[in-house]
Each structure stands twice: as structure tokens, then as C-alpha cells.
Amino acid sequence: RVGRGDEVSAFETGASAVVGRVAIEMWRALRHELKLTSYTLAHVAKAALGRTVPVFDHVTLSRWARGHGGGGTGNATRGGGCPRPAPAGTASGALRGRAAEYLLNNACLAIEIAAHLDLFNRGTQMARIYGIQFADVFTRGSQFKVENMFVRLAKPLGYVMLSPSRVQV
């Protein structure tokens, strides 16, 4: 949901949280990994994987999902071992299957891009080095990471890190 006025959706602020799970906004993380002019799925897939993927507009996908024809003629390419929807017996079922396959391929493509760029392994290593949580690697800035390094170095030496008060900040 897009916010109106003072309301802003959780994804726009990066404040989305799922209790007990790590949720990473892939496009925000990819902005730090790749320097592109556009961060659409098709552009990122071309830059990261060297693969061209089809792009269908929302109107076409909506028609396919409702089982009506019309719009784009390309087939969504399969990638990375994702399950394929079961074939449907009717023409409208085939269109629904095409829409489902396209969306499933897009979801799998995002995972493929993250795996190709080694985001999860490098994020885990950085979290260990900095002594912070995995999600903070992608959401926090460099000052937070440097301060955590100082805390890790100061503790064995017997130093205590001072925290500023609200007035000092």
C-alpha cells in the first residue's frame, strides 16, 4: 500500500519486520552492490546474470490471471529450478498458468540474483566481523558498524564506551 500524506508504507521506510525472520529489501541491498541507472528486475538480471528476461505490463498479467487473452506474446523464461505450474486443460487455464509462471520466475530470479552476487554469505561474514545482527548489515549505516567495531575492541581492554545523552545528540 502506498502511503498518502503523512502515512508511509513500511516498505518505503525500510521498517518492515517479520518476527523471527530476516526480511531484506532486495532492491535496497542491490543498490549498494550494482551501480545502474534503473533497478527494474529486467535491468538487474541483465547486469548481474547477463540474462534478458521478458517484461509484461500489469494490464496483460491481469488479463492472463482472469483467463482473458490479449497483450504480450512472449513466454516467461524459466530459471533456477523453480517448480512449474501444472498445465491447465482450458485456454483460460493456460493463460492463468502463464501468469503464474511469469510471477514465479520473477520471484526465483530475485533469489538467483542474490545467490549470484553472494549477498547472504558476504552479509553473514560482515555481521560476524562487525559484531552486529545480519539484518543490520543491510539496513544500518557505516557509523553504526564502526562504533560496533570500537565496542568489540574496547571491551577486552577494559574500556567503557560512553553513550551521548539526548541533549548531546
Side-chain angles (χ1 to χ4, degrees):
R1 166 177 146 342
V2 177
R4 295 182 192 92
D6 290 337
E7 297 175 344
V8 180
S9 72
F11 280 108
E12 289 177 33
T13 63
S16 59
V18 179
V19 178
R21 301 288 182 256
V22 176
I24 299 170
E25 289 185 53
M26 286 293 297
W27 307 126
R28 183 175 289 193
L30 288 174
R31 273 188 241 141
H32 297 287
E33 296 295 321
L34 301 171
K35 299 301 177 207
L36 302 172
T37 56
S38 174
Y39 289 91
T40 63
L41 184 62
H43 283 104
V44 172
K46 183 68 174 173
L49 302 174
R51 185 182 338 164
T52 303
V53 295
V55 177
F56 298 109
D57 61 356
H58 296 293
V59 174
T60 301
L61 291 172
S62 296
R63 285 183 185 149
W64 289 353
R66 286 192 304 266
H68 303 338
T73 58
N75 291 325
T77 58
R78 269 180 51 77
C82 293
R84 176 171 246 156
T90 64
S92 64
L95 288 173
R96 286 188 193 103
R98 182 189 279 184
E101 182 177 10
Y102 177 77
L103 295 174
L104 182 64
N105 287 336
N106 283 353
C108 291
L109 189 60
I111 295 169
E112 274 186 71
I113 291 168
H116 181 76
L117 295 175
D118 203 25
L119 284 180
F120 300 117
N121 289 333
R122 288 190 299 124
T124 302
Q125 290 173 356
M126 288 174 63
R128 286 182 189 154
I129 290 170
Y130 292 128
I132 59 177
Q133 292 184 6
F134 178 77
D136 289 340
V137 170
F138 298 104
T139 57
R140 296 296 197 113
S142 59
Q143 181 178 351
F144 179 77
K145 296 171 188 173
V146 170
E147 286 177 2
N148 275 294
M149 287 291 290
F150 282 139
V151 169
R152 287 184 61 146
L153 293 171
K155 189 173 182 178
L157 298 174
Y159 292 111
V160 177
M161 302 296 288
L162 298 176
S163 297
S165 67
R166 290 194 179 270
V167 175
Q168 292 173 326
V169 175

